[in-house]
Amino acid sequence: MPSILRRMLVGQPLATVQQAHERLGNFAALAVFASDGLSSVAYATEEILLILVYAGTGALHLSLPISLAIAVLIAIVATSYRQVVYAYPSGGGAYAVARENLGVIPSLVAGASLLVDYVLTVAVSVAAGIAALTSAFPAWYEHRVALGLAAIAAVTIANLRGVRESARVFMLPTYGFVASMLVVIMAGLWRGLSGQGPVEPLPAHTDEAAVGAVSLFLILRAFSSGCAALTGIEAVSNGVQAFREPVGANAAKVLTWLALLLGGLFIGTSVIANLYHVIPVHDETVVSQIARGTFGRTVPYYAVQFFTAVILILAANTSFNGFPRLASVQANDGYLPRPLGNIGDRLVYSNGILLLGLASGFLLAAFRGETHRLIPLYAVGVFLSFTLSQAGMVRHWISVRDEQVDWRQRVAINAVGAVITGGVTLVIAISKWSMGAWIVVVVIPALVLLFLRIHEHYEWFGRRLSLEGTPQPPPPGRNLVLVLVASVHRGMLEAVHYAKSLSSPDGDVRAVHVETESDRPRPSLLSGWERYGLGISLVALQSPYRSVAEPLLEYVEKAMQDEGFDTVTIVIPEVVIQGFLVQFLHNQTALFLQIAFRNKPGVVIANFRYYL
């Protein structure tokens, strides 16, 4: 990317010493890490209703007890993760807990589950945000995929600019959404309990035909769909290092605030939906119906829709903080490509951010931006990671046995959490299997195998480079230096001088010209070389198929086999012109030759740059 454009989008580089100043206070951290969890309020109740309506509108009242059960689950998981952030302040969440206490394979399963869930979180959140937007402006519905991709690009760029800058962007929408939903819930409770009912008539009929009666399986499916409300809670434990000191205490405090806000807003939304007898329809969200029933199509209604759409889109920000940090931990352990562990210009994991943006954009486009097609893939991975995290913490407290923190009580809390979240994982996988959950169940083992292969590669790589048992290196061998000559010019002349300096006493320096247009070199080239060639012989190679690399590769192989050269250094004169766009006006021979000789042992490509 050109430097000017890069600086416009991303900003000026930040020094490493500024890293401590880039950490977040609790108020800003809540906006960054809670947006995903809080945004699920916009669709969790709706997902419950969409399943219950298959048994007819008379079954919709069951959404309230199901919501209460999910709220209890939120409290259990949040309590357990508070212990994780205290015990593992370096971050990594479920992956770090499982790695230390359960072993490699469980940790990789936890890591794969979370990475998949983060990608799905971005796709689902953006799709739901665009759905809220198109509820208010139906004419935009046909452009939902383009709008979603633009939103992902915007959030990606915001995160590339750094954690603190993204926090500034997301604070107003996050707290605006919380405030607007609290107002809707309080006003809706007042209207519903006073018997006034909705301001405007809400849909009285569903788009879906009743296909059966209420059954245990239907209730479990509704429960598993509503469990999407818990996604995002784990992000705090993965990003503990983004908090100011003391990181453990601050992360635990933010996690408590998140659980209270999430549980309160989720239950409130389900209560109002019951009071208003909301029926789910395809072209208007449940939150839109609640806000319209409370305020009518007035300014407060559009404010609720605006903040809902924005926080749903920006909820992806939680994943953009969690995914790169988790990927960096796994990369540093050797289970993901090492570039994912690199910190970029703005003290963020830029490669992880870009990878997440590309993966989620592809997923959004593949599912045409439809939230209800993506939701079945959701939550399987995150609950699996919940279970592994809780099981790992049980092992942790038993091995530590720290009497100062009442380890027996903590074992009990984590054990209950592991059993419950494990059961929920099975319920979600079974109830959503035919709806697409099987995809995630297949993808997670595939990712674990990929992680293991990457780790095997790095171990092999390390063994091959290890100095242990290395014999004394042999004396330097014979080196043939070739100067690639296309024409005679100033840059070529300096490259010839450089090539002569590389030659060993028993080595050789030659100039090579690959003729791609005729059967012999141009007279101007020969006469120029005779005058400026500094006494170096010129070898002309014919290329009947106009390739520079193939004749040169054949010549190098023949020289090494027949003349006994141990190494061949190819010096390529490369003229460099200032300016990004003008580079495309010239051949990129050096780049192509580097690729062609990449896997040829004993060959060194040296680009000799001549600057104009």
Side-chain angles (χ1 to χ4, degrees), residues 426-441:
L426 291 175
V427 168
I428 293 174
I430 294 170
S431 63
K432 292 187 175 183
W433 184 266
S434 61
M435 301 167 66
W438 63 269
I439 297 175
V440 177
V441 175

Side-chain angles (χ1 to χ4, degrees), residues 156 243 255 326 384 399 410 415 562:
T156 301
F243 290 81
L255 189 56
L326 176 59
L384 180 56
S399 62
R410 299 196 173 194
D562 297 348

